[in-house]
Every structure is written in structure tokens, then in C-alpha cells.
Amino acid sequence: MTRTAIVTGAARGIGAATAKRLASDGHAVAVLDLDEASCADTVAAIEDAGGRAIAVGADVADAAAVQSAVDRIAAELGAPTILVNNAGIIRDNLLFKMTEDDWDAVLTVHLRGAFLMCRAVQKHQVDAGWGRVVNLSSTSALGNRGQANYAAAKAGMQGFTKTLALELGRYGVTANAIAPGFIVTDMTRATAERIGVGFDDFVAHAAKEIPVGRAGEPDDIAAAASFFCSEEAGFISGQVLYVAGGPRA
Ligand code: NAI
């Protein structure tokens, strides 16, 4: 069945791959990111493949922007019942060097952003008696040096997801989290730059530690998101799926 999906942070990386995958699954997709123009490539890829998509510019941490984005999506694509909260940022630093801004920015985009998006979308899900929420956590939720802010946010995403599952289950809405390990995107590229390592070396080093012997690709996460959003996953809710090429971070 065709639904309307929103994928946040879908201009690039994991979000772009997930938007394309949900479109190929037959859904109309709102490609949402900070800057509407940055969504053009993802939208074009979906349309070239015969799918339906619109570009939406919004800061997920801005309540008014989120509400008007969701209103516009409902009007142009149909009531959104699938939501993938993927938008994210990193501001890595060891605790003693971490600023309040580093802390607030990361908690705000991931947690406040996912909260605002879910709050705006749940009305459409409840009205439809059906919905899917997928939240992006991370293996960093288990703790990661230099990421006190990000680890707290990504652990928070897991508690948030479980609570959504409890509150919205009776309306036919499931909520699950995906916790990726190392995925090749601009985010991991930025980490390599920050620590002064070439990206190819950084990826090769990461792959050595991963049981399946390779780094993850955005499509690896898109596949898991597609499954959670499917009709047949309706009895799976409140779960955290580590997609990391092995059992540990
Ligand atoms: P990325 O940096 O390539 O893409 C993130 C996208 O989110 C960008 O297009 C950015 O503009 C958008 N964004 C940032 N702040 C936003 C805001 N306030 N409102 C709307 N859009 C905003 O990142 P990547 O690697 O694709 O990550 C996607 C998600 O997966 C993030 O939540 C990240 O924390 C998570 N993740 C990534 C991993 C990796 O290894 N790349 C591992 C584990 C989790």
C-alpha cells in the first residue's frame, strides 16, 4: 500500500538512501532537510526512478517550521504516516573541552528534533489508525570517547522510541530505533578530517574491527528502515536494531 513518508536529514547520506528506498517501496516521500535546495538531488533520483517526492526545507528543532512542513506535506503528498527521524549532527570533543553549545546543539537536533517531528506527525498516524516511526540511534549510545553529547542523545533516542511504542501502539503505530555502527557518509568523513586521518585509511581501519570485514553503507541502514516501515513488521515495536556488521560497537 502507498503511504506518505517523511525522512529528515534526507539531502545526503543515510537519509537520502532511506528516502530513495522508501520511494522504491512505493511510498510518496517528503525529503526534508535544513535547506530545501539541498534536497534536489535526492528528489531528482526518486523522480528519475519513477517515484514521487517533494523537497521540504525545515529545521527539525524549530517547532513552527516543523508544523508548517508537516502541514505542507499533508496537503501536497497526503497525510504522512511514516516518519524516519534521521537528521543529525556531531560536535565531538572530550568532556573537558566540550562547550555548552556543543552539548545543546547535539541534544537539540536529535532529541528535540525527533520529539517535534513525532508530535506533529502523530495526529495523522492516529487519524489513519496506522503508522511507522523509525528513529536513528547509534552504537555510540553504548558510550563513545569524545561523544558525551552524542552518546547521551543517541541513548535518549532509544528511551524516546520505547515510550512512543507504548503510547501509540493502540493506534496501529509502531516505533523502532536503528543503531548504526560505522557508515560511510559525510559525517564519518568529517570525523576523519577532525582527527587528521585520510578518509580511505579511516574506513579501512574501521573495517578491520568490524566482524563482517567492511564498513557500512547508507543502503545497509535504508534496508533496515524499509523493513520496520513495512506492513509485515506491524508486531515489532519498541525495539533497537544494531546494524553494525557485528554484535558490538
Ligand atoms: P550526514 O551528516 O551525512 O547527514 C545528516 C543530514 O541531516 C544532513 O543533510 C544535514 O543537513 C541534516 N540536518 C542536520 N541538522 C538538521 C536539522 N536541524 N534539521 C534538518 N536537517 C538537519 O549524516 P549521516 O551519516 O547520514 O547520519 C544520519 C543519521 O544517522 C544521524 O542521525 C546520525 O547521527 C546517524 N548515525 C550515523 C552513523 C554514521 O556512521 N554515519 C552511525 C550511527 C548513527
Side-chain angles (χ1 to χ4, degrees):
M1 186 172 171
T2 296
R3 314 273 188 182
T4 296
I6 304 176
V7 183
T8 70
R12 66 185 198 198
I14 293 168
T18 301
K20 290 180 217 170
R21 176 61 195 258
L22 292 178
S24 77
D25 290 342
H27 305 300
V29 181
V31 176
L32 187 150
D33 212 293
L34 277 173
D35 169 30
E36 183 170 324
S38 71
C39 301
D41 288 352
T42 308
V43 169
I46 290 171
E47 289 177 342
D48 289 350
R52 202 165 151 232
I54 59 169
V56 179
D59 177 347
V60 295
D62 176 338
V66 163
Q67 191 58 56
S68 61
V70 170
D71 290 348
R72 191 190 137 201
I73 292 160
E76 292 185 24
L77 281 185
T81 53
I82 296 175
L83 172 62
V84 180
N85 284 308
N86 166 84
I89 59 168
I90 47 172
R91 295 281 186 277
D92 296 355
N93 241 324
L94 292 173
L95 181 64
F96 77 103
K97 286 195 279 192
M98 189 171 282
T99 66
E100 291 100 315
D101 281 352
D102 292 335
W103 178 268
D104 290 344
V106 169
L107 274 285
T108 298
V109 173
H110 295 268
L111 285 178
R112 181 182 160 88
F115 155 64
L116 292 174
M117 289 299 306
C118 283
R119 196 181 60 179
V121 167
Q122 57 80 30
K123 180 187 178 304
H124 297 290
Q125 297 174 319
V126 169
D127 286 351
W130 189 93
R132 298 283 185 264
V133 178
V134 176
N135 292 323
L136 268 290
S137 179
S138 166
T139 50
S140 295
L142 302 169
N144 199 24
R145 196 177 158 78
Q147 291 196 315
N149 50 0
Y150 185 80
K154 292 309 200 184
M157 290 295 263
Q158 298 189 10
F160 178 59
T161 302
K162 290 167 196 278
T163 301
L164 293 173
L166 292 172
E167 290 191 14
L168 298 176
R170 72 187 60 182
Y171 305 106
V173 180
T174 67
N176 292 286
I178 298 172
F182 187 102
I183 310 297
V184 175
T185 69
D186 288 342
M187 186 178 273
T188 38
R189 190 179 291 277
T191 302
E193 270 168 28
R194 184 178 62 82
I195 63 177
V197 179
F199 192 49
D200 290 346
D201 290 343
F202 191 59
V203 172
H205 179 77
K208 269 194 215 140
E209 306 296 320
I210 298 171
V212 301
R214 67 170 177 89
E217 296 291 335
D219 283 343
D220 291 313
I221 306 308
S226 168
F227 172 65
F228 278 137
C229 293
S230 68
E231 302 291 331
E232 66 187 349
F235 203 56
I236 303 171
S237 196
Q239 301 303 304
V240 180
L241 182 63
Y242 283 83
V243 182
R248 280 190 296 274

PDB file of all heavy atoms in Angstrom, residues 10-12 31-44 54-57:
ATOM      1  N   ALA A  10      17.435  14.231   4.814  1.00  0.00           N
ATOM      2  CA  ALA A  10      17.456  13.340   3.641  1.00  0.00           C
ATOM      3  C   ALA A  10      18.155  13.939   2.426  1.00  0.00           C
ATOM      4  O   ALA A  10      18.083  13.390   1.336  1.00  0.00           O
ATOM      5  CB  ALA A  10      16.031  12.923   3.287  1.00  0.00           C
ATOM      6  N   ALA A  11      18.857  15.053   2.616  1.00  0.00           N
ATOM      7  CA  ALA A  11      19.592  15.633   1.488  1.00  0.00           C
ATOM      8  C   ALA A  11      20.776  14.759   1.090  1.00  0.00           C
ATOM      9  O   ALA A  11      21.224  14.790  -0.062  1.00  0.00           O
ATOM     10  CB  ALA A  11      20.081  17.036   1.847  1.00  0.00           C
ATOM     11  N   ARG A  12      21.292  13.984   2.041  1.00  0.00           N
ATOM     12  CA  ARG A  12      22.507  13.199   1.750  1.00  0.00           C
ATOM     13  C   ARG A  12      22.585  12.011   2.715  1.00  0.00           C
ATOM     14  O   ARG A  12      21.740  11.873   3.616  1.00  0.00           O
ATOM     15  CB  ARG A  12      23.745  14.090   1.900  1.00  0.00           C
ATOM     16  CG  ARG A  12      23.960  14.536   3.326  1.00  0.00           C
ATOM     17  CD  ARG A  12      25.119  15.517   3.448  1.00  0.00           C
ATOM     18  NE  ARG A  12      25.556  15.589   4.835  1.00  0.00           N
ATOM     19  CZ  ARG A  12      26.284  16.563   5.351  1.00  0.00           C
ATOM     20  NH1 ARG A  12      26.646  17.588   4.590  1.00  0.00           N
ATOM     21  NH2 ARG A  12      26.648  16.533   6.615  1.00  0.00           N
ATOM     22  N   VAL A  31      11.250  14.709   1.292  1.00  0.00           N
ATOM     23  CA  VAL A  31      12.696  14.749   1.525  1.00  0.00           C
ATOM     24  C   VAL A  31      12.973  16.040   2.284  1.00  0.00           C
ATOM     25  O   VAL A  31      12.966  17.125   1.709  1.00  0.00           O
ATOM     26  CB  VAL A  31      13.449  14.714   0.179  1.00  0.00           C
ATOM     27  CG1 VAL A  31      14.953  14.858   0.388  1.00  0.00           C
ATOM     28  CG2 VAL A  31      13.118  13.436  -0.590  1.00  0.00           C
ATOM     29  N   LEU A  32      13.174  15.922   3.590  1.00  0.00           N
ATOM     30  CA  LEU A  32      13.266  17.110   4.443  1.00  0.00           C
ATOM     31  C   LEU A  32      14.705  17.312   4.901  1.00  0.00           C
ATOM     32  O   LEU A  32      15.368  16.373   5.349  1.00  0.00           O
ATOM     33  CB  LEU A  32      12.323  16.939   5.641  1.00  0.00           C
ATOM     34  CG  LEU A  32      12.136  18.131   6.582  1.00  0.00           C
ATOM     35  CD1 LEU A  32      10.729  18.105   7.207  1.00  0.00           C
ATOM     36  CD2 LEU A  32      13.196  18.170   7.683  1.00  0.00           C
ATOM     37  N   ASP A  33      15.159  18.545   4.788  1.00  0.00           N
ATOM     38  CA  ASP A  33      16.489  18.894   5.313  1.00  0.00           C
ATOM     39  C   ASP A  33      16.486  20.393   5.625  1.00  0.00           C
ATOM     40  O   ASP A  33      15.513  21.102   5.327  1.00  0.00           O
ATOM     41  CB  ASP A  33      17.594  18.531   4.313  1.00  0.00           C
ATOM     42  CG  ASP A  33      18.904  18.137   5.005  1.00  0.00           C
ATOM     43  OD1 ASP A  33      19.528  19.030   5.639  1.00  0.00           O
ATOM     44  OD2 ASP A  33      19.302  16.957   4.940  1.00  0.00           O
ATOM     45  N   LEU A  34      17.561  20.880   6.212  1.00  0.00           N
ATOM     46  CA  LEU A  34      17.650  22.283   6.626  1.00  0.00           C
ATOM     47  C   LEU A  34      17.347  23.231   5.474  1.00  0.00           C
ATOM     48  O   LEU A  34      16.647  24.228   5.647  1.00  0.00           O
ATOM     49  CB  LEU A  34      19.064  22.570   7.149  1.00  0.00           C
ATOM     50  CG  LEU A  34      19.356  22.201   8.600  1.00  0.00           C
ATOM     51  CD1 LEU A  34      20.840  22.398   8.885  1.00  0.00           C
ATOM     52  CD2 LEU A  34      18.503  23.022   9.557  1.00  0.00           C
ATOM     53  N   ASP A  35      17.912  22.911   4.305  1.00  0.00           N
ATOM     54  CA  ASP A  35      17.820  23.800   3.158  1.00  0.00           C
ATOM     55  C   ASP A  35      17.094  23.064   2.024  1.00  0.00           C
ATOM     56  O   ASP A  35      17.538  21.999   1.600  1.00  0.00           O
ATOM     57  CB  ASP A  35      19.264  24.178   2.773  1.00  0.00           C
ATOM     58  CG  ASP A  35      19.342  24.879   1.450  1.00  0.00           C
ATOM     59  OD1 ASP A  35      18.367  25.559   1.094  1.00  0.00           O
ATOM     60  OD2 ASP A  35      20.379  24.743   0.772  1.00  0.00           O
ATOM     61  N   GLU A  36      15.976  23.627   1.588  1.00  0.00           N
ATOM     62  CA  GLU A  36      15.166  22.937   0.565  1.00  0.00           C
ATOM     63  C   GLU A  36      15.982  22.612  -0.683  1.00  0.00           C
ATOM     64  O   GLU A  36      15.855  21.516  -1.245  1.00  0.00           O
ATOM     65  CB  GLU A  36      13.946  23.808   0.213  1.00  0.00           C
ATOM     66  CG  GLU A  36      13.021  23.127  -0.782  1.00  0.00           C
ATOM     67  CD  GLU A  36      11.687  23.857  -0.954  1.00  0.00           C
ATOM     68  OE1 GLU A  36      11.161  24.411   0.032  1.00  0.00           O
ATOM     69  OE2 GLU A  36      11.183  23.859  -2.090  1.00  0.00           O
ATOM     70  N   ALA A  37      16.842  23.564  -1.104  1.00  0.00           N
ATOM     71  CA  ALA A  37      17.610  23.357  -2.342  1.00  0.00           C
ATOM     72  C   ALA A  37      18.540  22.149  -2.242  1.00  0.00           C
ATOM     73  O   ALA A  37      18.797  21.455  -3.232  1.00  0.00           O
ATOM     74  CB  ALA A  37      18.415  24.623  -2.664  1.00  0.00           C
ATOM     75  N   SER A  38      19.020  21.869  -1.034  1.00  0.00           N
ATOM     76  CA  SER A  38      19.959  20.749  -0.859  1.00  0.00           C
ATOM     77  C   SER A  38      19.279  19.392  -1.067  1.00  0.00           C
ATOM     78  O   SER A  38      19.946  18.369  -1.219  1.00  0.00           O
ATOM     79  CB  SER A  38      20.597  20.802   0.540  1.00  0.00           C
ATOM     80  OG  SER A  38      19.640  20.459   1.533  1.00  0.00           O
ATOM     81  N   CYS A  39      17.941  19.391  -1.071  1.00  0.00           N
ATOM     82  CA  CYS A  39      17.189  18.133  -1.241  1.00  0.00           C
ATOM     83  C   CYS A  39      16.990  17.772  -2.706  1.00  0.00           C
ATOM     84  O   CYS A  39      16.461  16.690  -3.014  1.00  0.00           O
ATOM     85  CB  CYS A  39      15.814  18.254  -0.575  1.00  0.00           C
ATOM     86  SG  CYS A  39      15.888  18.610   1.185  1.00  0.00           S
ATOM     87  N   ALA A  40      17.416  18.658  -3.608  1.00  0.00           N
ATOM     88  CA  ALA A  40      17.090  18.485  -5.036  1.00  0.00           C
ATOM     89  C   ALA A  40      17.624  17.173  -5.604  1.00  0.00           C
ATOM     90  O   ALA A  40      16.926  16.497  -6.379  1.00  0.00           O
ATOM     91  CB  ALA A  40      17.632  19.674  -5.833  1.00  0.00           C
ATOM     92  N   ASP A  41      18.849  16.791  -5.251  1.00  0.00           N
ATOM     93  CA  ASP A  41      19.438  15.566  -5.824  1.00  0.00           C
ATOM     94  C   ASP A  41      18.648  14.332  -5.407  1.00  0.00           C
ATOM     95  O   ASP A  41      18.405  13.433  -6.221  1.00  0.00           O
ATOM     96  CB  ASP A  41      20.897  15.398  -5.385  1.00  0.00           C
ATOM     97  CG  ASP A  41      21.825  16.391  -6.060  1.00  0.00           C
ATOM     98  OD1 ASP A  41      21.360  17.095  -6.982  1.00  0.00           O
ATOM     99  OD2 ASP A  41      23.005  16.461  -5.660  1.00  0.00           O
ATOM    100  N   THR A  42      18.253  14.277  -4.135  1.00  0.00           N
ATOM    101  CA  THR A  42      17.503  13.113  -3.652  1.00  0.00           C
ATOM    102  C   THR A  42      16.145  13.046  -4.341  1.00  0.00           C
ATOM    103  O   THR A  42      15.711  11.970  -4.783  1.00  0.00           O
ATOM    104  CB  THR A  42      17.311  13.197  -2.119  1.00  0.00           C
ATOM    105  OG1 THR A  42      18.577  13.417  -1.499  1.00  0.00           O
ATOM    106  CG2 THR A  42      16.705  11.904  -1.574  1.00  0.00           C
ATOM    107  N   VAL A  43      15.481  14.207  -4.457  1.00  0.00           N
ATOM    108  CA  VAL A  43      14.170  14.247  -5.116  1.00  0.00           C
ATOM    109  C   VAL A  43      14.295  13.820  -6.578  1.00  0.00           C
ATOM    110  O   VAL A  43      13.497  13.013  -7.086  1.00  0.00           O
ATOM    111  CB  VAL A  43      13.535  15.657  -5.003  1.00  0.00           C
ATOM    112  CG1 VAL A  43      12.305  15.781  -5.898  1.00  0.00           C
ATOM    113  CG2 VAL A  43      13.165  15.944  -3.551  1.00  0.00           C
ATOM    114  N   ALA A  44      15.332  14.343  -7.257  1.00  0.00           N
ATOM    115  CA  ALA A  44      15.523  14.005  -8.680  1.00  0.00           C
ATOM    116  C   ALA A  44      15.769  12.510  -8.849  1.00  0.00           C
ATOM    117  O   ALA A  44      15.230  11.887  -9.778  1.00  0.00           O
ATOM    118  CB  ALA A  44      16.691  14.809  -9.253  1.00  0.00           C
ATOM    119  N   ILE A  54       8.808  15.269  -2.744  1.00  0.00           N
ATOM    120  CA  ILE A  54       8.948  16.723  -2.719  1.00  0.00           C
ATOM    121  C   ILE A  54      10.094  17.086  -1.775  1.00  0.00           C
ATOM    122  O   ILE A  54      10.398  16.332  -0.842  1.00  0.00           O
ATOM    123  CB  ILE A  54       7.665  17.469  -2.266  1.00  0.00           C
ATOM    124  CG1 ILE A  54       7.219  17.039  -0.863  1.00  0.00           C
ATOM    125  CG2 ILE A  54       6.552  17.298  -3.282  1.00  0.00           C
ATOM    126  CD1 ILE A  54       6.126  17.941  -0.272  1.00  0.00           C
ATOM    127  N   ALA A  55      10.706  18.226  -2.048  1.00  0.00           N
ATOM    128  CA  ALA A  55      11.766  18.754  -1.187  1.00  0.00           C
ATOM    129  C   ALA A  55      11.134  19.696  -0.165  1.00  0.00           C
ATOM    130  O   ALA A  55      10.296  20.525  -0.516  1.00  0.00           O
ATOM    131  CB  ALA A  55      12.784  19.517  -2.024  1.00  0.00           C
ATOM    132  N   VAL A  56      11.547  19.547   1.078  1.00  0.00           N
ATOM    133  CA  VAL A  56      10.993  20.394   2.142  1.00  0.00           C
ATOM    134  C   VAL A  56      12.148  20.926   2.987  1.00  0.00           C
ATOM    135  O   VAL A  56      12.939  20.144   3.532  1.00  0.00           O
ATOM    136  CB  VAL A  56      10.031  19.577   3.041  1.00  0.00           C
ATOM    137  CG1 VAL A  56       9.475  20.451   4.160  1.00  0.00           C
ATOM    138  CG2 VAL A  56       8.903  18.967   2.222  1.00  0.00           C
ATOM    139  N   GLY A  57      12.228  22.243   3.106  1.00  0.00           N
ATOM    140  CA  GLY A  57      13.260  22.855   3.942  1.00  0.00           C
ATOM    141  C   GLY A  57      12.702  23.144   5.322  1.00  0.00           C
ATOM    142  O   GLY A  57      11.679  23.824   5.445  1.00  0.00           O
TER     143      GLY A  57
END
